Amino acid sequence: MSPLADVSHQLRPGWNIRAARKLSLLAAATSVLTMALACSGDKGDKEPSVSVQVVPVETATIQHVIKTEAILYPQQQAAIVAKISAPVQKFLIKRGSHVHKGELLAVLENRDLTAAAQENKGAFDQAQATYETTTAASLPEEIQKAEADAQQAKQALDAQEKVFESRQQLFQEGALPRKELDQSQVEIVQARNQYSIAKRHLDTLQAIGKQQELKAAKGQLESATGKYHGAEAQLSYSEIRSPINGVVTDRPLYPGEMAAAGTAIVTVMDVSSVIAKAHIPQADAALLKIGDKGTMTVPGLDEPVEGTVTVVSPALDPNSTTVEVWLEAKNPKQQLKPGTSVQLALTAKTVKDALVVPASAIITAPDGSSAVMIAGTDGKAHQKAVKLGIRQDDDVQILDGLTANDKVVSTGAYGLPDNTKISVEAPAEKDDKGKGKEAPDATKESPSEK
């Protein structure tokens, strides 16, 4: 029996119909409230669950990659400057020309320098001839003459001594007057003096005169040689040659224009290899060493270019307190242009068989500690403190706290209380571009069911 019929059955004579309707509505509301309370009581008996996504802890190779920006520089560069001021006579190259070390690139006006070099060459030849004559002819003749003079003086002295001895004997016998004996004694003294002078002259030529004569001749030759080499050097400055192998990247002048001393007239770059120079924090630079590998992402190239670390500066940059690092890469097709801004990825450390979880699974506490939510076999999520290692893209190495058999909550862990009951949902599918797509809704009617 309906509440309205029950109330109508209980109406006494004299009650009106409006009152009967009010009582029936009250009874209906009481019935609905009772059913709602009954339903809520049934749901309270079941523990609520939270939908999450779960992934297993993986074992993989992970790398510590340092990413930074850098500028490309040539392996070598030479801005060739003119050492003299002179008009450009001719250029033998143009921009983009490939040149070799020692190759003639340009010639400056040099007629005056050619004449000066020729004049000094004549003076040099003359000084050389004088030196050879002095060392081979003059000195030996003088020495030979001095030796003859000394020998002649010695013979004259010996003869005067014999004459004096003979006269002295005759004087003692009374056969010679005293005057002739004294005259013979004077002649001996004169002969001895002549011999002494000749002997001293010979010794001087042999000991001092020869050295001084040679030194004077040698000095003249060296002076002439220096002037001649100086004139040759000035002449060579009019010929501009490349000091390296490379490509001509700049040639600001034209034939006939004045090349000023100290101003670059040709720039040559060796771009067979390029160097990416970057400045990175000291903490990251401490992990790098010469020989480490890296890649550079260059605008316009589809694939990154591989390179090797060749320089890790031992000192900090005083302005930025960073460390300069060079990554050198081969450039056989000359696709890498100096001055280009590139993105570097330097591999500082590689760990094999590391325990890895998604970065989205890491929970960071206010005190800086890290934890993850483990999906337990009891259907609940349990918070576990972990120690982190290397991070690469969306993967994080776990040093301590997990095993390879654990499963962690990758989506929905943030703000999830410990020991919360969870229900695992399938991860979203990815399209061809790697973007997530909505999972199919089982509640929607399929075309076959229509």
Side-chain angles (χ1 to χ4, degrees), residues 315-329:
L316 295 178
D317 185 284
N319 297 323
S320 61
T321 65
T322 56
V323 178
E324 184 172 350
V325 177
W326 293 9
L327 183 72
E328 184 173 345

Side-chain angles (χ1 to χ4, degrees), residues 129-279:
T130 302
Y131 177 76
E132 292 176 355
T133 301
T134 301
T135 55
S138 297
L139 281 178
E141 289 180 0
E142 292 184 10
I143 294 174
Q144 186 176 3
K145 183 176 181 304
E147 289 177 348
D149 292 343
Q151 185 177 3
Q152 184 178 1
K154 182 66 169 62
Q155 292 175 354
L157 175 60
D158 293 341
Q160 290 297 333
E161 287 179 347
K162 290 180 180 180
V163 170
F164 175 74
E165 293 176 356
S166 177
R167 288 183 179 183
Q168 188 177 21
Q169 184 177 2
L170 292 174
F171 174 75
Q172 291 175 355
E173 294 177 355
L176 188 70
R178 178 76 182 185
K179 180 180 179 181
E180 292 186 7
L181 178 63
D182 293 340
Q183 181 65 31
S184 179
Q185 189 172 5
V186 172
E187 291 175 354
I188 289 177
V189 173
Q190 291 176 348
R192 184 177 291 113
N193 290 338
Q194 290 294 331
Y195 173 69
S196 178
I197 293 172
K199 185 68 169 62
R200 191 180 303 114
H201 179 62
L202 176 62
D203 293 341
T204 300
L205 288 177
Q206 290 178 339
I208 299 175
K210 184 176 181 178
Q211 295 178 2
Q212 296 299 327
E213 193 77 17
L214 288 173
K215 186 181 292 184
K218 186 176 181 180
Q220 292 177 357
L221 177 60
E222 289 180 349
S223 176
T225 302
K227 292 179 179 180
Y228 173 53
H229 288 168
E232 278 193 326
Q234 289 290 324
L235 179 60
S236 68
Y237 295 157
S238 64
E239 297 181 347
I240 309 301
R241 298 182 180 272
S242 176
I244 60 174
N245 297 329
V247 179
V248 176
T249 59
D250 192 18
R251 201 203 74 180
L253 299 179
Y254 292 92
E257 292 185 319
M258 176 64 72
T263 303
I265 60 175
V266 177
T267 300
V268 178
M269 289 186 182
D270 181 2
V271 292
S272 59
S273 296
V274 293
I275 298 174
K277 298 182 181 181
H279 289 79

Side-chain angles (χ1 to χ4, degrees), residues 49-93:
S49 63
V50 178
S51 296
V52 296
Q53 292 182 5
V54 175
V55 296
V57 177
E58 297 181 351
T59 301
T61 299
I62 192 169
Q63 296 177 327
H64 184 185
V65 179
I66 302 171
K67 295 185 177 180
T68 184
E69 293 184 353
I71 302 296
L72 293 185
Y73 291 85
Q75 185 183 31
Q76 294 186 81
Q77 177 176 336
I80 308 170
V81 301
K83 294 185 178 181
I84 58 174
S85 295
V88 178
Q89 185 183 102
K90 61 179 177 179
F91 278 109
L92 304 177
I93 45 83

